[in-house]
Amino acid sequence: MASLITNPVTNANSDRSKRKKKKNSMVKQNLQRSQKEDHARWKSEAQQQIYSSKLLQALSQVSLGTPSPSAPRGGRAVREAADRVLAVAAKGRTRWSRAILTSRLKLKFRKQKRSQRGSAAAVAAATRTSRSKKPRVSVLKLKAKSVPTVQRKVKVLGRLVPGCRKQPLPVILEEATDYIAALEMQVRAMSALADLLSGSGAASSSSAPPPEWPMPPTSQ
């Protein structure tokens, strides 16, 4: 008779664990489905056209001449504009897109703190005594050798993907897959824009009338 009596607490715990497992599996399936849709979205022609139009708007506001000291210059300004538009196209659903969008704000605050620390650093450098520094090359080599090869590669990959420097391996792999697909779309869009602009420039130069050269005076 004792074996036939069920414990209500045990049954409730088992039902709760089953519901939790089912919920986790559904969340995992939805996440995988959304990731597949994101990867396919980066390969679509419509997404490339949307990105190209927004990139043209962003590049029209980039000054390639003599910008302000706080603004990036030349190719760096173009690269930052292209990455910022790419992050906006991702709609902040990934770590790398959110990291790109917040990097400008972090850089601004970092410059302000650096300017505040400038005077204190100058005073400290004036009063600092010379110290004997031990070479750290051997220590760094020992640390590099002690870390496994796979772990070192994961760290390098985490540094390459924005916002994934201190993330675990599954997160880094998911972000890297989406980031690579987005970069491939960015390269295709920028190559198409470069071909279009170079073609329009060549057509305008060919359609321009030839220059008028002065005629030499005729001998009588």
Side-chain angles (χ1 to χ4, degrees):
M1 293 294 292
S3 62
L4 297 177
I5 299 174
T6 59
N7 191 354
V9 178
T10 306
N11 293 336
N13 292 334
S14 62
D15 293 341
R16 193 180 297 110
S17 62
K18 287 180 181 179
R19 288 196 299 269
K20 188 175 181 180
K21 288 181 180 179
K22 186 177 180 180
K23 183 178 179 180
N24 291 337
S25 64
M26 291 177 64
V27 170
K28 189 175 181 181
Q29 290 176 0
N30 293 333
L31 182 62
Q32 291 177 353
R33 192 182 300 112
S34 64
Q35 288 175 354
K36 289 181 180 179
E37 291 176 357
D38 289 340
H39 299 165
R41 179 171 56 88
W42 293 124
K43 296 180 181 180
S44 65
E45 190 70 22
Q47 181 64 38
Q48 182 175 338
Q49 292 178 359
I50 294 172
Y51 174 76
S52 300
S53 62
K54 292 183 178 180
L55 180 60
L56 280 175
Q57 295 176 2
L59 292 179
S60 63
Q61 299 176 359
V62 173
S63 59
L64 299 179
T66 56
S68 61
S70 61
R73 300 182 179 182
R76 183 182 173 186
V78 174
R79 184 188 64 190
E80 289 188 2
D83 291 342
R84 189 166 59 252
V85 174
L86 189 66
V88 172
K91 298 180 180 179
R93 288 182 290 187
T94 53
R95 287 182 177 272
W96 64 263
S97 61
R98 293 192 294 269
I100 291 174
L101 292 175
T102 57
S103 62
R104 291 296 298 274
L105 296 176
K106 291 181 179 179
L107 183 61
K108 183 179 179 180
F109 291 137
R110 197 177 301 162
K111 287 182 178 179
Q112 292 178 356
K113 289 182 179 180
R114 194 177 301 168
S115 62
Q116 293 175 359
R117 294 174 184 172
S119 58
V123 175
T127 58
R128 185 172 49 194
T129 57
S130 60
R131 300 175 183 177
S132 60
K133 295 182 179 180
K134 297 181 180 180
R136 299 182 180 179
V137 179
S138 60
V139 178
L140 293 176
K141 286 184 178 180
L142 290 175
K143 288 183 179 180
K145 289 181 180 180
S146 62
V147 179
T149 306
V150 177
Q151 191 173 356
R152 274 184 288 162
K153 291 182 178 179
V154 170
K155 286 185 178 180
V156 172
L157 184 60
R159 293 191 191 101
L160 293 176
V161 182
C164 296
R165 185 178 290 270
K166 297 180 181 181
Q167 297 301 319
L169 179 59
V171 176
I172 293 176
L173 292 179
E174 291 176 2
E175 294 289 326
T177 304
D178 188 77
Y179 186 53
I180 290 172
L183 288 179
E184 289 176 349
M185 190 274 297
Q186 184 187 58
V187 171
R188 291 195 303 269
M190 296 186 76
S191 299
L193 285 176
D195 295 340
L196 181 64
L197 294 176
S198 61
S200 63
S204 61
S205 61
S206 62
S207 61
E212 297 181 359
W213 300 99
M215 297 295 294
T218 55
S219 59
Q220 296 293 333

